[in-house]
Structures are given as structure tokens and as C-alpha cells.
Amino acid sequence: MLKKIILVVAIVTTMFAQSESTFPSDWKSYESVSTPLAIIGSLPDCNADVSSLPLIYQETVSTYCAVKSGGPGAVAVLVNKIGEESFTKRNGNYPDGAVFILHLKDLKVLFVTTYKDNKPLYSIYTEDGTDASNAVGSGLNPNDCRTCHTGYSAFCINGQCATKK
Ligand code: HEC
């Protein structure tokens, strides 16, 4: 009985995993920018020694290193034109709309930060627009994004973690 309840809860949780904003179909027009992670160029597998990196990067690697063998692989950080000034100034003020994308190039997945009334919303889509969000704790749930992006307040400003390099 308990097992059944746990199963039902798990299924329902997965069903309600949902990206918080619509797919940014114009994502290919966003500009690829230089950030610490973009300079590294990829997310490694779980054997990588990342002990010299800031804690938030270590946690990012441990969250995603096991998604496939060899790690998530190539990444790029993309910024929508409407958000370029905010990105550069890092002032915590963002226009409404999809502003940032962490492009997991090898996985063909987009991690999207959209702003509404200057509050960040998190979404996970495949490159062709399928909602790829998953259960809480999978790393692919908007709440998981929010936990990390707000949990390092000395590092991330109103949802923006990357700094222009
Ligand atoms: C454990 C921490 C962590 C988790 C979980 C996480 N991120 Fe991030 N994210 C980061 C860090 C650190 C960067 C900055 C990397 C860089 O460019 O140097 C970043 C960068 C980004 C960027 C580029 C703009 C920015 O804010 O710097 C986007 C977009 C993004 N993440 C979206 C997401 C989404 C969507 C999720 C959930 C599916 C997510 N992130 C989960 C830590 C995390």
C-alpha cells in the first residue's frame, strides 16, 4: 500500500513538473557571451576535480555530471538582445521575456531564465521546444533551478549567476 502511494505521488509530481514560461522560439538569434563557464566550455563528468572552482560551480557539476556518461558536455551562455544591458551591468533589473539561456549543446537542451515583473522564472526545453522539465530534485525542475540561483546570494543577482568576462 505504502509503495503504491509513493508511486502515485512520484507520478503526480512528474506530471506537474512544468516549465514556468513558454519556449523562446527565437533562441537562435540570442548572442553567445563570454562567462566563466562559457570559457571553460563544457560541464565535465563526475570524476573531474573541480575543487578549485567556487562552491556554486562545484554544486552545478555535482548536480549534472551524471546525466550521461562523460558528463553533460559542451555549453554556451546566450543572452537575448533585450537583456544585454542588464547582463553587462549586472544590476538585477531585467525586461519581461526570455533573457538568458544556458545552452547544453551536446544534450540539445536549453535552460531558460525568463523574467516577469523582474522576477526570474525557470524553464527547461529541448532545442525543438519540448518541455523537458522533470520531478523536483532531478535538477530539471524549475524549483531546483531556483534553489541554486537564489541560494548563492553573494554570487547570483536576481537569478543571474554569470558575469561577463
Ligand atoms: C547547483 C547550481 C545550479 C543549478 C541547479 C542551476 N544553475 Fe543555472 N547556473 C549556475 C551557475 C553557477 C551559472 C553561471 C555559469 C557561468 O556562465 O559562469 C548558471 C547559469 C545559468 C544561466 C545563464 C545566465 C545566468 O544566470 O548566469 C541560465 C539561463 C541558467 N543557469 C538557467 C538554469 C536553469 C533553467 C536551471 C534549472 C534547470 C539551472 N540554471 C540550474 C548554477 C546553477
Side-chain angles (χ1 to χ4, degrees), residues 47 83 123 137 143 146:
N47 298 319
S123 298
N143 283 328
R146 184 167 288 108

Side-chain angles (χ1 to χ4, degrees), residues 35-38 56-57 59-60 63-64 77 100-102 111-113 122-124 139-142 144-146 148-149 152 155 159-163:
T35 70
L37 182 61
I56 186 172
Y57 287 85
E59 195 191 329
T60 307
T63 304
Y64 297 107
V77 177
F100 298 118
I101 293 176
L102 182 63
F111 281 7
V112 186
T113 307
Y122 298 98
S123 298
I124 305 95
L140 296 176
N141 186 279
D144 299 341
C145 317
R146 184 167 288 108
C148 188
H149 276 245
Y152 291 85
F155 200 92
Q160 174 185 349
C161 298
T163 305

Side-chain angles (χ1 to χ4, degrees), residues 49-150:
D49 179 7
V50 291
S51 57
S52 66
L53 296 178
L55 266 185
I56 186 172
Y57 287 85
Q58 296 186 32
E59 195 191 329
T60 307
V61 170
S62 71
T63 304
Y64 297 107
C65 65
V67 297
K68 74 168 178 60
S69 76
V75 293
V77 177
L78 310 178
V79 180
N80 188 349
K81 274 249 167 323
I82 58 168
E84 267 172 26
E85 193 184 328
S86 315
F87 169 64
T88 308
K89 288 190 175 159
R90 234 175 174 272
N91 59 10
N93 291 316
Y94 304 94
D96 279 1
V99 172
F100 298 118
I101 293 176
L102 182 63
H103 184 195
L104 299 150
K105 299 204 276 187
D106 289 347
L107 295 175
K108 300 190 189 304
V109 166
L110 307 175
F111 281 7
V112 186
T113 307
T114 301
Y115 287 85
K116 180 85 180 47
D117 302 328
N118 209 28
K119 294 219 166 57
L121 300 171
Y122 298 98
S123 298
I124 305 95
Y125 282 103
T126 60
E127 285 181 355
D128 56 9
T130 306
D131 192 333
S133 58
N134 210 320
V136 174
S138 65
L140 296 176
N141 186 279
N143 283 328
D144 299 341
C145 317
R146 184 167 288 108
T147 300
C148 188
H149 276 245
T150 56

